[in-house]
């Protein structure tokens, strides 16, 4: 890996997501050798992936180079590598570019899409957990529109213009709203010769309401906003299969569609080598104590989506969202600094700042403690909070500019198929 040996303790961080970046930013100036590893050379702001998929933002607006984060320190290094395994006995991390030893190891590998063992959905559905996948989805949607405008078969056109999403959590709700907005405000101007009454957006949810993790109030408001945008909501319905462009469910509902998007769950993305007792099997996440130490290890920590810290308020661990990841990353940095100075570590306490989801061009729902509201004001808050947490001034500026432009012009800037989803042999590519 070409990393010098020094007298400093070596801190290896796997994952440059919200948790890993929050930690690394606070450790770059410390007396440790910091090595940040990630399979991508950028940090992704996942809450805005749906805007890349629906052509509102270009990918660079929501990504930030990880090298820029480590370059501020003298003893800090970034290496782009896939971590394959950890050997706690020899304190080594094995990666695609070689092995590296550690004194302290932080696992911040986040989560991946959970298909709950359904092979047909895994092989055929679109997903949106990283930028390449968001771009795939954008390309597929635009390619289907290009196909829809030339076909003379009305059934094929309907299939190409029917978008089906499984999972009405914040991701499914925001994506459905984004596609509906395209249908209402953008696409009819791009394709004046196509009848967009044929375009359907279906949102399928296994629970009895949309946004199950949020309040009843948020759920009701979101349902109303989505229905106003023309989204067809199917609750108490579970998708069973997707193959040959047919979605089947546990009810009478079955839908022919060329675009089926799976946003119905995530599971941890652990790295092999850690003692099996430390892994919660169904969640695929590491059990950690109040200092984020992985069960059974003193010098291995896990933060963010990959960790489960059981507390009275959160018996199954904190919600798998950005705030716990950021707060755990920052808190662990404080604890590592204390530990390096020979001081005792302090327990992590989560400060719940609330949750929110946006629907369409100017509506959102917000739950902050007892305050639950929805509509334009909520959207305003959603917008500023997302801008605030975007990493990098340039990203904030470009995103804000794009949103203002989209808002005023009822338009979206990025409807280009630069990176086709299908290769020239018509095979699908890069669905992993
Ligand atoms: C579409 C979508 C929308 C979301 N919307 C919201 C929202 O509105 N609000 C909210 O609070 N949360 C939202 N979330 C959840 C939030 O993004 C996650 O909770 C958060 O990213 C978790 O941070 P993390 O650092 O634990 O993991 P991540 O941010 O996922 O980072 C993990 C990092 O580890 C790297 N990595 C993983 N395995 C390896 C390996 N083996 N080798 C090398 N590198 C590896 C990955 O490349 C990645 O960079 C959303 C998530 C998605 C997917």
């Amino acid at each position: 890996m070409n990393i010098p040996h020094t007298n400093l303790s070596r801190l290896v961080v796997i994952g440059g997501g919200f948790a890993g970046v929050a930690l690394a930013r606070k450790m770059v100036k410390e007396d440790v050798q910091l090595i940040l590893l990630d399979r991508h050379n950028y940090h992704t702001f996942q809450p805005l992936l749906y805007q890349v998929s629906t052509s509102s933002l270009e990918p660079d607006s929501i990504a930030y180079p990880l090298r820029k984060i480590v370059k501020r320190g003298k003893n800090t290094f970034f290496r782009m590598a896939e971590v394959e395994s950890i050997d706690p006995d020899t304190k080594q991390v094995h990666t695609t570019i070689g092995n590296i030893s550690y004194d302290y190891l932080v696992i911040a590998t986040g989560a991946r899409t959970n298909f709950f063992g359904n092979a047909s959905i895994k092989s055929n559905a679109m997903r949106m957990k990283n930028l390449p996948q968001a771009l795939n989805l954008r390309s597929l949607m635009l390619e289907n529109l290009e196909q829809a405008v030339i076909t003379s078969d009305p059934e094929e056109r309907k299939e190409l213009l029917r978008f089906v999403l499984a999972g009405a959590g914040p991701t499914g709700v925001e994506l459905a709203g984004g596609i509906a907005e395209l249908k209402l405000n953008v696409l009819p101007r791009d394709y004046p010769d196509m009848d967009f009454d044929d375009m359907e957006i279906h949102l399928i949810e296994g629970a009895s309401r949309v946004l199950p993790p949020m309040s009843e109030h948020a759920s009701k408001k979101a349902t109303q906003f989505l229905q106003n945008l023309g989204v067809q909501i199917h609750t108490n319905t579970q998708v069973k299969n997707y193959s040959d462009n047919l979605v089947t469910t546990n009810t009478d509902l079955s839908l022919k569609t060329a675009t089926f998007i799976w946003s119905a769950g995530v599971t941890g993305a652990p790295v092999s080598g850690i003692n099996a007792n430390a892994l919660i099997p169904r969640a695929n996440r590491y059990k950690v104590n109040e200092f984020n130490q992985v069960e059974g290890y003193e010098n291995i920590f896990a933060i963010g989506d990959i960790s489960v810290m059981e507390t009275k308020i959160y018996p199954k661990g904190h919600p798998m969202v950005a705030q716990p990841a950021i707060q755990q990353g920052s808190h662990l940095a404080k604890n590592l600094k204390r530990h390096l100075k020979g001081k005792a570590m302090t327990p992590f306490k989560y400060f719940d700042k609330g949750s929110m989801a946006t629907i369409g061009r100017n509506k959102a729902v917000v739950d902050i403690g007892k305050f639950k509201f929805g509509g334009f004001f909520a959207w305003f808050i959603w917008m500023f909070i997302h801008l605030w947490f975007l990493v990098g001034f340039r990203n904030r500026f470009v995103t804000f500019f794009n949103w203002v432009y989209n808002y005023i012009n009822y338009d979206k800037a990025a409807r280009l198929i630069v990176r086709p989803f299908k290769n020239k042999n018509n095979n699908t590519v890069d669905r992993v």
Side-chain angles (χ1 to χ4, degrees):
M1 280 203 197
N2 202 14
I3 289 177
H5 284 282
T6 65
N7 294 330
L8 297 171
S9 298
R10 184 179 280 167
L11 166 63
V12 174
V13 181
I14 312 174
F18 283 103
V21 164
L23 175 98
R25 282 173 137 185
K26 293 222 152 75
M27 292 303 292
V28 280
K29 297 269 162 76
E30 293 304 309
D31 281 340
V32 282
Q33 189 185 51
L34 170 70
I35 296 157
L36 177 61
L37 305 171
D38 200 295
R39 62 164 72 97
H40 301 296
N41 72 344
Y42 52 85
H43 162 77
T44 307
F45 190 81
Q46 294 175 13
L48 290 179
L49 278 174
Y50 87 95
Q51 296 222 350
V52 172
S53 296
T54 53
S55 310
S56 285
L57 292 173
E58 284 300 351
D60 9 354
S61 307
I62 67 158
Y64 190 81
L66 289 171
R67 286 195 171 278
K68 274 197 175 183
I69 285 161
V70 297
K71 81 173 185 191
R72 288 183 290 135
K74 275 191 276 173
N75 299 305
T76 53
F77 299 85
F78 169 73
R79 293 290 182 265
M80 191 170 89
E82 177 83 29
V83 173
E84 292 171 328
S85 63
I86 297 161
D87 184 348
D89 294 334
T90 58
K91 293 191 181 173
Q92 292 267 331
V93 174
H94 303 286
T95 83
T96 43
I97 58 164
N99 302 340
I100 184 95
S101 62
Y102 63 84
D103 297 300
Y104 301 95
L105 176 65
V106 178
I107 309 173
T109 45
R112 60 167 82 102
T113 308
N114 191 356
F115 297 96
F116 303 97
N118 189 312
S120 78
I121 295 174
K122 188 174 179 188
S123 0
N124 301 317
M126 301 303 291
R127 62 216 67 180
M128 199 185 60
K129 191 75 185 80
N130 55 40
L131 270 177
Q133 291 171 359
L135 284 170
N136 274 342
L137 183 52
R138 182 206 288 187
S139 298
L140 180 70
M141 285 199 277
L142 295 173
E143 282 169 11
N144 286 344
L145 286 162
E146 292 301 328
Q147 185 62 29
V149 81
I150 58 171
T151 182
S152 50
D153 176 350
E155 283 312 307
E156 187 193 4
R157 185 177 310 112
K158 280 191 179 162
E159 202 171 308
L160 290 161
L161 292 179
R162 188 176 289 124
F163 296 81
V164 180
L165 297 93
T171 301
V173 163
E174 291 185 342
L175 190 53
I179 299 172
E181 201 209 312
L182 278 175
K183 171 187 170 176
L184 292 176
N185 296 319
V186 181
L187 298 176
R189 284 190 282 167
D190 273 8
Y191 301 86
D193 46 344
M194 195 146 66
D195 181 1
F196 278 92
D197 286 346
D198 280 345
M199 182 165 164
E200 292 172 15
I201 302 139
H202 295 262
L203 183 59
I204 302 178
E205 168 59 46
S208 57
R209 61 181 178 88
V210 305
L211 293 178
M214 293 185 72
S215 65
E216 290 264 0
H217 180 270
S219 177
K220 269 192 197 145
K221 282 273 174 198
T223 304
Q224 181 196 327
F225 295 151
L226 285 167
Q227 284 171 341
N228 289 349
L229 290 171
V231 175
Q232 300 181 44
I233 299 171
H234 312 272
T235 48
N236 295 311
T237 307
Q238 282 167 12
V239 172
K240 288 288 169 201
N241 196 53
Y242 177 58
S243 49
D244 300 325
N245 281 6
L246 179 69
V247 175
T248 55
T249 69
N250 63 339
T251 69
D252 291 345
L253 181 76
S254 63
L255 295 160
K256 279 292 245 179
T257 177
T259 319
F260 173 62
I261 305 152
W262 182 255
S263 58
V266 289
T267 181
V271 180
S272 69
I274 296 288
N275 191 330
N277 296 336
L279 195 71
I280 299 173
R282 276 184 54 207
N284 263 327
R285 299 162 75 195
Y286 298 119
K287 267 188 243 172
V288 297
N289 64 13
E290 68 268 45
F291 310 118
N292 283 96
Q293 282 165 313
V294 175
E295 191 173 280
Y297 301 94
E298 270 194 13
N299 60 343
I300 303 182
F301 301 82
I303 50 177
D305 278 2
I306 190 64
S307 70
V308 172
M309 187 187 288
E310 292 168 359
T311 64
K312 262 193 193 155
I313 304 177
Y314 301 100
K316 290 184 179 166
H318 299 99
M320 292 168 84
V321 290
Q323 273 305 318
I326 295 170
Q327 292 179 31
Q328 287 184 354
S330 300
H331 188 79
L332 180 56
K334 277 189 205 152
N335 268 339
L336 287 173
K337 288 179 204 174
R338 290 178 69 87
H339 187 75
L340 288 164
K341 288 180 186 146
K343 292 185 184 169
M345 295 195 282
T346 59
F348 172 74
K349 282 198 191 83
Y350 176 50
F351 176 53
D352 183 1
K353 295 184 178 170
S355 48
M356 54 186 70
T358 181
I359 301 116
R361 70 190 298 266
N362 58 10
K363 298 276 191 296
V365 287
V366 173
D367 288 346
I368 303 176
K370 285 183 203 150
F371 300 103
K372 299 174 195 326
F373 50 100
F376 183 76
F377 180 58
W379 173 75
F380 219 69
I381 292 181
W382 174 92
M383 199 173 65
F384 277 99
I385 286 187
H386 281 71
L387 279 177
W388 181 261
F389 281 103
L390 258 181
V391 183
F393 173 75
R394 182 192 163 277
N395 285 358
R396 284 190 204 122
F397 180 78
V398 172
T399 301
F400 183 66
F401 175 81
N402 263 282
W403 286 350
V404 172
Y405 175 88
N406 294 351
Y407 196 81
I408 295 172
N409 293 296
Y410 283 80
D411 199 1
K412 305 226 180 210
R415 295 187 302 283
L416 310 175
I417 310 171
V418 180
R419 181 180 172 281
F421 174 62
K422 288 175 184 160
N423 69 18
K424 58 179 185 297
N425 300 319
N426 216 25
N427 293 322
T428 53
V429 289
D430 193 16
R431 281 194 185 221
V432 188

